[in-house]
Amino acid sequence: MTNDKVVATVIIAAWCAEAWLAKSVRGALAQNVSGLEVIVVDDASTDGTWRVARGLATADSRVRTVSLDRNGGPARARNVAIEMARGEWIAVLDSDDDMRPGRLHSLIGTAERLKADCIYDDLVPVAPDGRLLGASHLADMGIHEPEQWTLERFLSGCRARPGQPALGYLKPVIRRSFLDRTGLRYDQSLHNGEDFHLVAELLAQGGNLWFVPEAGYFYTQRDASVSRRLDPTHGRALMVADQSFRKRHADSLTPEVKRILRERTRNLADMLAMEVAARDMRSGRLGHAAVTLSMRPAAAVRLGGLMLRKMWQRKAV
């Protein structure tokens, strides 16, 4: 492959993914793109992830692997993969997710036609065994044709509102030349929301983002999925990154974008307070939980709603 043109690089950050990495890599290799490589970065796993990755690389020369000496999170692992990548387009795939055959060929063709720097499609939630778990992530939005998303449009779908499908969950396919020209990389301080911040920064730097309403990404839902719960430490890092984004682009952000970002900050603070209070309640620190919730009433409402849903689910079983 060294002398061949590489059209697409699929980057996979893998941490303790021994049980499902092979499926994700095979889904990437099944893409009908002329000139394809897959880069697996083992983020200092403590299980057999590296052994699985090396076995996949031995079986198929399109797979390249690297093992990190310390765990740095998905953002750092993806940055390592981006530096290694030879593809004209870089597609992000989580180590427990999969893609529909033909996804990359379709997305890259559309992106080239629309002169996009980044392109999204919809995702479908699936169980670990591959069973579909319902409609696609953005099905209720009723989008039927490709749409160009501005920074305002993107941020309006990333307000961290309860029940709102977050656009930041979508997995980007990005033009490599834009990353090289701007020096854009993942924020390595983040272990949650790193894709959101990469795309927000891309838009703030003049990138051209399009969404196509095809559901080609299979998103595996697990009880312990990082994106389903907000770890307090990661939540605080996310709020710091949001604040840095606002300061960095203060002179170019519209009043509406600034308003949306303020709302997002409030909602993230409520989510963080809810998680802290929930942990205190589980450990019997009811007084601490009460103080936290009294300071952010919206967090108390969120927590109450979550507890009611769990009670309903237990009764329904």
Side-chain angles (χ1 to χ4, degrees):
M1 178 182 287
T2 303
N3 297 321
D4 295 336
K5 176 181 178 181
V6 180
V7 174
T9 299
V10 179
I11 62 173
I12 301 176
W15 179 74
C16 293
E18 176 183 11
W20 45 77
L21 178 62
K23 180 180 179 181
S24 294
V25 170
R26 288 168 185 148
L29 292 173
Q31 298 297 305
N32 59 333
V33 174
S34 177
L36 174 76
E37 68 175 1
V38 179
I39 297 178
V40 179
V41 180
D42 174 27
D43 194 16
S45 298
T46 56
D47 65 353
T49 296
W50 178 241
R51 174 183 54 79
V52 172
R54 290 303 307 149
L56 292 164
T58 299
D60 195 313
S61 63
R62 294 175 295 172
V63 180
R64 303 167 63 199
T65 59
V66 61
S67 180
L68 303 184
D69 58 358
R70 62 178 178 84
N71 179 263
R76 176 173 177 255
R78 288 174 187 159
N79 283 343
V80 169
I82 289 171
E83 296 302 324
M84 295 174 58
R86 299 186 294 243
E88 297 175 352
W89 291 89
I90 294 178
V92 178
L93 178 65
D94 283 350
S95 60
D96 58 348
D97 292 343
D98 200 355
M99 294 188 286
R100 173 180 55 80
R103 173 182 182 252
L104 289 186
H105 183 270
S106 175
L107 285 179
I108 291 171
T110 301
E112 293 282 11
R113 176 172 57 84
L114 297 173
K115 297 181 173 16
D117 297 305
C118 181
I119 192 164
Y120 272 143
D121 61 351
D122 204 352
L123 60 83
V124 180
V126 298
D129 61 6
R131 290 179 294 108
L132 298 180
L133 294 177
S136 67
H137 189 55
L138 302 184
D140 290 343
M141 293 178 64
I143 302 174
H144 303 293
E145 298 292 336
E147 288 187 355
Q148 185 175 12
W149 286 354
T150 62
L151 178 61
E152 181 178 319
R153 175 69 184 86
F154 178 66
L155 292 177
S156 70
C158 301
R159 301 174 194 247
R161 284 178 173 173
Q164 181 191 49
L167 304 187
Y169 278 6
L170 304 178
K171 292 301 176 184
V173 178
I174 307 171
R175 192 185 293 271
R176 174 59 187 265
S177 61
F178 185 90
L179 298 178
D180 289 344
R181 184 172 70 253
T182 61
L184 179 62
R185 294 295 186 270
Y186 279 96
D187 183 339
Q188 295 184 179
S189 71
L190 298 176
H191 288 246
N192 181 285
E194 65 280 351
D195 285 317
F196 159 77
H197 265 282
L198 183 81
V199 174
E201 191 66 34
L202 178 144
L203 288 166
Q205 295 192 33
N208 188 7
L209 172 65
W210 282 79
F211 170 79
V212 294
E214 303 166 358
Y217 190 96
F218 299 126
Y219 171 78
T220 304
Q221 286 193 357
R222 301 178 188 278
D223 290 340
S225 173
V226 171
S227 57
R228 291 171 64 84
R229 297 297 298 271
L230 184 65
D231 179 279
T233 301
H234 299 165
R236 294 184 188 98
L238 190 56
M239 293 180 68
V240 169
D242 280 13
Q243 183 180 29
S244 296
F245 178 85
R246 290 196 305 272
K247 290 182 177 179
R248 195 162 53 248
H249 300 289
D251 293 338
S252 61
L253 299 179
T254 67
E256 178 61 14
V257 165
K258 291 178 180 179
R259 187 192 68 77
I260 292 170
L261 287 170
R262 288 195 297 270
E263 179 186 346
R264 173 181 161 84
T265 295
R266 290 194 300 270
N267 291 336
L268 284 173
D270 290 337
M271 289 175 62
L272 180 59
M274 183 190 76
E275 291 294 344
V276 170
R279 288 191 174 193
D280 283 340
M281 291 172 68
R282 287 194 294 270
S283 62
R285 295 159 58 91
L286 300 184
H288 287 82
V291 170
T292 298
L293 295 175
S294 69
M295 295 173 64
R296 300 205 68 87
V301 174
R302 283 193 179 205
L303 183 57
L306 178 63
M307 294 172 67
L308 286 173
R309 285 195 298 274
K310 287 186 174 182
M311 289 174 59
W312 178 259
Q313 290 170 356
R314 283 196 293 267
K315 289 181 179 179
V317 174

